[in-house]
């Protein structure tokens, strides 16, 4: 299909994310978006900030700001960081938008009309000191199983035992520390997911091309234990989408808001509508991406996320869409990722352990991070960031293989010929290389189409290496002394190779690619015909010698950064 809808799991608003978050959703989504745009397809790439729920309220309180003001500021921070990493969103929206509020209330109304919403009375812990009901994870106390004194109301992270808040010994509010807690009855709305179990199961069975990671998680939630459970979609909070049935009040639900995991995925649709509003376009602009009765039946919809988000996107959000009985676009493919660990342990937002997105950009340009993260994406298993591995990949792949090739070719041409493509014929060696690269480029395209990120990176590196091996064998610096025309042919092909590298590498390293396109004074049209692409820069075509593309990481830098990011975020 020539219309591709791409969404990345939306980052939570309460803080700047680390590199593990980046590689688990936004960055590979951007890779795929850039690739499809490069192939001439129409792309809609959507992300947003996830702004509702207790963590947002707590983060705002800690910052001493009203929650709406805090969220607005953090949205700008995250948007700027996304630009810093060259994430090419068509829109980076906000789940607190009026569009999302209206759509969330609309879906709730449709689900209620279709008999898929149930009011449930339940008992929850209320903190008198905080004047609010406390979600399970905002109640702490001593675990009755192992004695750990900071167990949460849903689970003890020390012994992993599942808990109820009332199980805790000496329970206290994680917000204020108060022990003045009591159990009160409250009513909430539940989405009757169990009623859609068979429909969801049958739908997932049709997705035979999904990654095993995605399908296995979905099936586990569907069939393990008691199977798919009905899920609460409201909370007793101040900050969030007010509970309404469409545009009508919902009796008994006054003062409540929708649960953040109900409204957050709906923001994918809302953010597209927000873009239409920003552009002054009618609803038809966004409906053609999301409504199958408005043209979205010819859209391929792909989602990117970490494995912890898979249950909500394979079950809860599709249940919302299906349960509405309206012609909304369902996801076609879910690309899920395992976890990226950090230097022998885990990234930790709370402890400041690991590299956070803003800090990464302070020490190196985005292409360095993009290349390492994507070429080590945790697709089939967890992967690990180490400074030694990062240094090696940057120095060998980017500086030695790609950067050195560009430098040698352009500087040699300027020195021995001129700042234009020399007039030289292609011989047997060039013909053989073109045939080899044609095969490699087609393989690269295949990996990108399949969203096999690491395989695509490996194939791209192989394309870079092939040019280096050719240049080393052709040795124009030697042949120039006895046969300048032969050397001219080698350099002519090598300059065309630089353009080819720039176009193919753009999804991975967009800044370096843009630099090369500008230096080669050319366009960025995709090489559907590799032979033609390697003859595009004709003799006499002017170019400029670009600055050094990539600086190597020194041992001193590596050691400094390893120490700086080993513990407390400063």
């Amino acid at each position: 299909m020539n219309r591709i809808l791409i969404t990345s799991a939306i980052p939570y608003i309460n803080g700047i994310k680390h590199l593990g978050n980046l590689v688990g959703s936004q960055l590979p989504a951007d890779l795929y978006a850039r690739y499809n745009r490069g192939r001439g397809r129409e792309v809609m790439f959507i992300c947003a900030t996830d702004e509702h729920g207790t963590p947002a309220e707590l983060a705002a309180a800690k910052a001493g700001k009203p929650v709406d003001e805090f969220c607005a500021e953090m949205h700008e921070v995250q948007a700027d960081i996304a630009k810093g990493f060259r994430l090419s969103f068509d829109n980076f929206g906000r789940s607190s938008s009026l569009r999302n509020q209206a759509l969330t209330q609309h879906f709730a109304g449709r689900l209620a009309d279709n008999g898929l919403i149930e009011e449930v009375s339940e008992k929850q812990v209320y903190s008198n000191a905080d004047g609010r009901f406390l979600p399970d994870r905002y109640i702490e106390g001593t675990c009755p199983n192992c004695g750990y004194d900071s167990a949460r109301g849903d689970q003890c992270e020390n012994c992993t035992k599942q808990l109820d808040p009332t199980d805790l010994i000496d329970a206290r509010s994680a917000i204020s520390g108060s022990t003045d807690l009591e159990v009160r009855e409250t009513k909430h709305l539940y989405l009757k997911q169990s009623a859609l179990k068979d429909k969801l199961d049958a739908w997932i069975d049709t997705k035979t091309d999904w990654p095993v990671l995605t399908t296995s998680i979905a099936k586990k939630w569907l069939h393990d234990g008691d199977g798919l459970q009905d899920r609460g979609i409201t909370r007793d909070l101040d900050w969030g989408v007010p509970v309404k049935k469409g545009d009508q009040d919902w009796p008994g639900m006054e003062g409540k808001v929708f649960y953040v995991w109900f409204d957050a995925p709906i923001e994918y649709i809302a953010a597209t509508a927000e873009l239409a509003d920003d552009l002054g376009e009618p609803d038809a602009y966004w409906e053609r991406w999301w409504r199958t009765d408005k043209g979205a039946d010819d859209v391929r919809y792909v989602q990117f996320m970490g494995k912890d988000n898979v249950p909500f996107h394979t079950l809860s959000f599709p249940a919302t869409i299906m349960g509405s009985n309206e012609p909304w676009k369902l996801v076609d493919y879910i690309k899920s990722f395992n976890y990226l660990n950090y230097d022998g342990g885990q990234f930790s937002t709370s402890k400041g352990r690991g590299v956070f997105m803003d800090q990464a950009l302070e020490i190196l340009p985005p292409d360095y991070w993009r290349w390492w993260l994507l070429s080590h994406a945790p697709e089939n298993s967890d992967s690990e960031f180490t400074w030694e591995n990062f240094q090696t990949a940057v120095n060998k792949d980017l500086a030695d293989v790609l950067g050195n090739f560009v430098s040698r070719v352009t500087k040699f041409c300027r020195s021995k010929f001129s700042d234009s493509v020399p007039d030289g014929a292609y011989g047997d060696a060039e013909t053989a290389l073109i045939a080899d690269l044609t095969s490699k480029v087609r393989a690269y395209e295949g990996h990108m189409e399949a969203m096999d990120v690491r395989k695509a990176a490996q194939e791209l590196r192989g394309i870079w290496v092939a040019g280096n091996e050719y240049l080393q064998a052709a040795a124009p610096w030697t042949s120039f002394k006895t046969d300048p025309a032969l050397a001219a042919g080698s350099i002519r092909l090598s300059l065309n190779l630089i353009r080819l590298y720039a176009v193919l590498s753009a999804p991975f390293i967009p800044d370096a690619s843009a630099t090369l396109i500008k230096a080669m004074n050319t366009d960025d049209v995709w090489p559907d015909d590799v032979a033609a692409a390697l003859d595009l820069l004709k003799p006499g075509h002017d170019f400029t010698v670009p600055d050094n593309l990539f600086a190597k990481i020194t041992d001193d830098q590596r050691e400094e950064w390893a120490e700086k990011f080993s513990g407390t975020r400063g």
Side-chain angles (χ1 to χ4, degrees):
M1 289 186 177
N2 284 321
R3 295 178 62 215
I4 312 293
L5 173 62
I6 302 169
T7 60
S8 163
I10 62 180
Y12 205 69
I13 196 71
N14 63 335
I16 294 168
K17 307 307 170 187
H18 55 63
L19 295 183
N21 299 127
L22 176 64
V23 75
S25 56
Q26 293 177 324
L27 188 54
D30 181 72
L31 177 81
Y32 190 60
R34 287 179 177 275
Y35 167 75
N36 278 286
R37 292 193 194 104
R39 299 305 304 272
R41 296 162 187 158
E42 186 181 5
V43 171
M44 178 63 73
F45 179 24
I46 293 296
C47 195
T49 40
D50 183 1
E51 300 188 6
H52 292 140
T54 304
E57 292 184 327
L58 296 180
K62 185 176 180 180
K65 296 179 179 179
V67 64
D68 56 343
E69 180 182 323
F70 171 82
C71 288
E73 291 179 3
M74 283 304 300
H75 173 80
E76 290 304 311
V77 168
Q78 293 201 21
D80 286 344
I81 292 173
K83 291 175 185 174
F85 275 99
R86 309 298 185 255
L87 303 179
S88 58
F89 305 126
D90 287 286
N91 192 38
F92 187 62
R94 301 183 61 188
S95 70
S96 61
S97 69
L98 291 177
R99 276 288 194 176
N100 196 43
Q101 176 175 304
L103 272 169
T104 299
Q105 292 166 341
H106 169 81
F107 275 109
R110 290 292 303 173
L111 291 165
D113 292 343
N114 294 330
L116 292 170
I117 299 291
E118 181 180 13
E119 286 191 19
V120 175
S121 292
E122 57 185 37
K123 296 183 185 301
Q124 288 189 0
V125 174
Y126 185 89
S127 169
N128 289 300
D130 298 305
R132 64 188 297 166
F133 284 96
L134 297 178
D136 294 351
R137 63 186 309 143
Y138 289 95
I139 307 164
E140 294 179 345
T142 300
C143 175
N145 184 55
C146 70
Y148 180 59
D149 65 1
S150 294
R152 294 193 315 228
D154 55 352
Q155 184 180 27
C156 174
E157 66 178 21
N158 184 56
C159 70
T160 72
K161 183 176 177 61
Q162 298 290 315
L163 300 169
D164 288 319
T166 53
D167 295 333
L168 295 173
I169 300 167
D170 298 328
R172 61 188 179 276
S173 165
I175 302 172
S176 63
S178 173
T179 59
D180 185 10
L181 309 178
E182 61 183 70
V183 176
R184 291 187 182 181
E185 190 168 289
T186 183
K187 279 187 177 182
H188 282 293
L189 301 179
Y190 273 65
L191 173 59
K192 296 166 69 173
Q193 295 185 142
S194 58
L196 295 164
K197 177 181 179 294
D198 292 343
K199 193 172 183 179
L200 288 164
D201 206 6
W203 173 67
I204 291 168
D205 282 342
T206 68
K207 305 301 180 183
T208 55
D209 62 336
W210 281 11
V212 172
L213 178 63
T214 302
T215 305
S216 62
I217 292 173
K219 289 291 188 178
K220 179 181 176 69
W221 278 61
L222 276 169
H223 299 297
D224 281 10
D226 295 326
L228 186 63
Q229 300 295 299
D230 296 342
R231 187 173 189 87
I233 61 168
T234 58
R235 289 292 187 267
D236 290 295
L237 297 173
D238 295 325
W239 175 243
V241 175
V243 176
K244 286 191 174 184
K245 190 182 298 185
D247 58 359
Q248 303 297 312
D249 290 337
W250 203 312
M253 293 293 122
E254 296 83 2
K256 299 180 188 291
V257 299
F258 285 108
Y259 179 36
V260 63
W261 260 113
F262 182 70
D263 81 78
I266 295 170
E267 170 59 17
Y268 298 139
I269 305 172
T272 319
E274 292 166 39
L275 176 62
D277 293 340
D278 290 344
L279 296 174
E281 297 284 354
D283 283 348
Y285 177 90
W286 65 267
E287 288 176 340
R288 66 189 289 265
W289 292 99
W290 286 104
R291 301 269 308 195
T292 57
D293 60 337
K294 303 288 187 179
D297 50 350
D298 68 349
V299 169
R300 176 165 168 79
Y301 177 20
V302 181
Q303 296 174 346
F304 288 80
M305 69 198 64
K307 60 185 177 183
D308 54 327
N309 284 331
V310 167
F312 299 101
H313 289 79
T314 55
L315 303 172
S316 297
F317 186 39
T320 298
I321 298 294
M322 292 177 180
S324 73
N325 283 341
E326 293 181 327
W328 296 99
K329 176 69 181 176
L330 280 163
V331 66
D332 293 300
Y333 190 89
I334 297 179
K335 176 67 175 181
S336 56
F337 292 85
N338 288 283
Y339 295 139
L340 176 69
N341 295 318
Y342 178 77
D343 214 6
Q346 293 183 327
F347 284 88
S348 172
T349 302
S350 60
K351 296 177 182 177
R353 188 174 188 278
V355 188
F356 291 75
M357 290 171 66
D358 58 338
Q359 296 170 323
L361 294 174
E362 289 171 3
I363 61 175
L364 285 171
D367 280 354
Y368 292 67
W369 300 107
R370 289 178 63 104
W371 174 251
W372 189 92
L373 289 168
L374 291 168
S375 61
H376 293 77
E379 290 176 291
N380 298 320
S381 62
D382 291 352
S383 58
E384 183 174 10
F385 177 93
T386 69
W387 286 102
E388 291 80 5
N389 189 301
F390 179 63
Q391 179 190 30
T392 298
V394 167
N395 291 356
K396 289 189 174 180
D397 297 351
L398 298 180
D400 287 346
V401 178
L402 179 59
N404 191 45
F405 179 85
V406 172
S407 179
R408 292 172 76 188
V409 170
T410 55
K411 289 179 180 178
F412 179 83
C413 186
R414 183 175 62 183
S415 171
K416 301 301 184 182
F417 297 101
S418 68
D419 286 358
S420 62
V421 178
D423 190 359
Y426 291 172
D428 291 344
E430 289 73 30
T431 301
L433 177 63
I434 290 169
D436 179 44
L437 287 177
T438 297
S439 176
K440 282 181 164 59
V441 170
R442 298 291 90 87
Y444 173 65
E445 291 170 347
H447 295 317
M448 291 290 269
E449 296 287 349
M451 286 161 275
D452 289 330
V453 177
R454 291 179 74 149
K455 288 181 180 179
Q458 184 178 12
E459 196 69 51
L460 179 59
R461 189 185 187 280
I463 292 169
W464 298 343
V465 168
N468 276 270
E469 291 175 344
Y470 160 78
L471 185 65
Q472 200 62 28
W477 45 88
T478 300
S479 62
F480 180 80
K481 298 173 185 176
T482 56
D483 191 347
L486 180 63
S490 301
I491 293 301
R492 177 183 156 208
L493 179 65
S494 295
L495 288 167
N496 275 280
L497 272 175
I498 292 174
R499 180 196 171 275
L500 180 76
Y501 291 168
V503 176
L504 295 177
S505 305
F508 283 89
I509 46 174
D511 282 3
S513 293
T515 295
L516 294 180
I517 289 292
K518 183 178 180 181
M520 292 298 103
N521 188 27
T522 185
D523 60 38
D524 58 355
V525 176
W526 194 265
D528 293 319
D529 182 336
V530 175
L534 290 174
D535 193 33
L536 193 142
L537 304 184
K538 301 294 186 181
H541 179 92
D542 293 334
F543 68 90
T544 57
V545 177
D547 293 334
N548 187 26
L549 280 182
F550 298 100
K552 287 191 173 184
I553 296 172
T554 67
D555 290 346
D556 287 344
Q557 286 176 314
R558 184 199 71 215
E559 292 169 4
E560 175 191 344
W561 296 334
E563 174 64 26
K564 180 177 180 180
F565 300 110
S566 62
T568 302
R569 176 176 163 84

